[in-house]
């Protein structure tokens, strides 16, 4: 049997900074609330939320090294922006360190940063919870996105990806090179799903 969610939470707490830990708690409870709303597995949402940033304490160099050690593929964008790798490594650590074998939980951790087309509801829930948890600072349209998240997961995906991509595009040229192609594909996918052109 897996470690209890509270044991996991305590172990993660010892590794990450206090502010990150508060964020992780926020994501755990928000993901569970969304799971209740949409009839998803509350336990799985809790595990995925508690573990989603469990690799985020590593430095850029350590992330690249940890990927090499496990033969985890790193794209050019990930090599330029190794912090993106905390999602792939988070899923790897969830399995290795915490013994999580459930593929739905692991893939919700894997896709929480970039998103991708055709996500499962659990994947969407963790992605959305990461963005809307109560401790997040107020971003543009946050009130609307929080409300929509409890009404329509696909619409919330579209609004969040739209916000994230336009934020990155408005930034400097360096940021443009760090937009993961999965996020762009996910944006196109959820835009079409919502009938927006
Ligand atoms: Fe993250
Ligand atoms: Fe996070």
């Amino acid at each position: 049997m897996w470690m209890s969610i509270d044991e996991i939470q305590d172990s993660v707490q010892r590794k990450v900074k206090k502010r990150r830990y508060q964020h992780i708690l926020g994501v755990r409870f928000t993901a569970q609330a969304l799971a209740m709303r949409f009839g998803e597995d509350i336990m799985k949402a809790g595990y995925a939320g508690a573990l989603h940033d469990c690799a985020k304490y590593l430095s850029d160099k350590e992330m690249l090294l940890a990927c090499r050690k496990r033969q985890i593929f790193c794209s050019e964008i990930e090599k330029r922006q190794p912090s993106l790798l905390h999602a792939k490594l988070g899923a790897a650590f969830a399995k290795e360190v915490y013994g999580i074998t459930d593929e739905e939980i692991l893939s919700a951790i894997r896709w929480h940063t970039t998103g991708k087309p055709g996500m499962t509801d659990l994947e969407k829930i963790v992605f959305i919870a990461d963005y809307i948890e109560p401790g997040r600072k107020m971003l543009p349209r946050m009130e609307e996105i929080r409300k929509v998240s409890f009404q329509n997961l696909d619409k919330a995906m579209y609004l969040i990806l739209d916000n994230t991509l336009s934020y990155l595009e408005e930034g400097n040229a360096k940021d443009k090179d760090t937009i993961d192609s999965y996020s762009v594909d996910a944006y196109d996918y959820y835009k079409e799903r919502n009938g927006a052109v």
Side-chain angles (χ1 to χ4, degrees):
M1 195 43 204
W2 301 335
M3 284 169 79
S4 79
I5 190 157
D6 290 318
E7 281 175 296
I8 286 178
Q9 196 71 67
D10 290 346
S11 163
V12 172
Q13 183 178 17
R14 273 179 252 119
K15 289 181 185 167
V16 299
K17 295 206 176 85
K18 195 174 172 203
R19 213 168 53 98
R20 170 87 37 211
Y21 178 68
Q22 293 299 335
H23 162 71
I24 289 170
L25 279 183
V27 174
R28 171 182 164 190
F29 293 126
T30 304
Q32 289 182 306
L34 286 166
M36 287 177 203
R37 162 66 182 87
F38 292 101
E40 276 300 306
D41 190 316
I42 297 171
M43 185 200 66
K44 289 187 187 190
Y47 274 98
L51 283 165
H52 83 286
D53 275 345
C54 74
K56 198 128 186 188
Y57 65 95
L58 298 176
S59 69
D60 285 0
K61 220 175 160 182
E62 288 168 333
M63 296 243 189
L64 291 166
L65 218 72
C67 283
R68 196 176 312 157
K69 204 177 133 194
R70 292 169 180 77
Q71 297 184 311
I72 293 173
F73 171 77
C74 302
S75 67
E76 284 308 311
I77 288 162
E78 287 166 335
K79 282 178 193 160
R80 272 198 297 273
Q81 177 117 321
S83 65
L84 286 169
L85 290 166
H86 81 274
K88 285 179 182 174
L89 280 170
F93 288 5
K95 202 170 182 175
E96 284 171 34
V97 182
Y98 301 101
I100 304 292
T101 50
D102 184 276
E103 288 301 329
E104 288 180 8
I105 297 175
L106 296 175
S107 89
I109 299 170
R110 161 68 184 90
W111 295 106
H112 85 267
T113 303
T114 59
K116 65 165 177 170
M119 292 160 84
T120 64
D121 279 356
L122 190 69
E123 288 165 348
K124 290 177 213 165
I125 281 172
V126 176
F127 179 94
I128 293 167
D130 191 34
Y131 197 83
I132 67 165
E133 62 95 357
R136 279 277 191 214
K137 67 172 195 275
M138 285 308 276
L139 298 160
R141 302 175 76 185
M142 190 58 131
E143 277 171 43
E144 182 196 357
I145 291 172
R146 282 186 169 140
K147 201 169 164 186
V148 168
S149 296
F150 284 86
Q151 295 165 338
N152 184 327
L153 294 176
D154 284 341
K155 192 168 176 202
M157 288 300 303
Y158 169 59
L159 293 176
I160 292 171
L161 287 159
D162 188 33
N163 248 9
T164 310
L165 292 185
S166 52
Y167 171 80
L168 290 174
E169 272 161 15
E170 278 162 20
N172 55 40
K174 187 180 161 278
D175 275 336
K176 257 188 182 161
D177 297 331
T178 58
I179 298 177
D180 196 286
S181 60
Y182 279 112
S183 295
V184 179
D185 292 347
Y187 170 74
D188 291 340
Y189 179 88
Y190 288 103
K191 185 178 180 182
E192 208 186 304
R193 261 182 102 79
N194 284 284
V197 186

